Amino acid sequence: VQLQASGGGLVQAGGSLRLSCAASGRTFSSPVMGWFRQAPGKERAFVAAITWSGGNTYYADSVKGRFTISRDNAKNTVYLQMNSLKPEDTAVYYCAAGRLPVTSPKLYDYWGQGTLVTVSS
């Protein structure tokens, strides 16, 4: 499975961004897509996950109500709509593919290259 993340950038606090993650290859072997983020000096942290089949969604408490994960099965693409962004959301955002909707990055098998989101105050 190959993953290509895009959509990061610089935005002011309160603004919005939409990240995209295009998947290719043996995507059927990885029924779950997740987004993680890693801020400087911090560990990689779970943000959200979605199942390709059924579209079940899971969120970290810190982003509930502000971020929305969705998928387009026809395009093999997963999105992360981020609203009401805060400076503490600043991080490199990674998409990942795995077999279970878990929060541990160690249990995801494939990773995209990361896209930087910077939220200014």
Side-chain angles (χ1 to χ4, degrees), residues 39 50 68:
I50 190 167
T68 301

Side-chain angles (χ1 to χ4, degrees), residues 42-55:
K42 295 188 176 181
E43 294 186 350
R44 194 166 297 189
F46 173 79
V47 175
I50 190 167
T51 57
W52 283 115
S53 174

Side-chain angles (χ1 to χ4, degrees), residues 14-38:
S16 299
L17 279 176
R18 189 178 81 156
L19 306 182
S20 299
C21 179
S24 60
R26 296 168 59 91
T27 56
F28 59 85
S29 67
S30 300
V32 176
M33 292 293 293
W35 284 99
F36 289 77
R37 64 187 181 185
Q38 188 165 17

Side-chain angles (χ1 to χ4, degrees), residues 6-12 17 19 82 85 90-91 115-120:
S6 61
L10 173 64
V11 64
Q12 289 188 332
L17 279 176
L19 306 182
M82 306 185 294
L85 283 161
T90 294
T115 184
L116 177 62
V117 173
T118 304
V119 184
S120 62

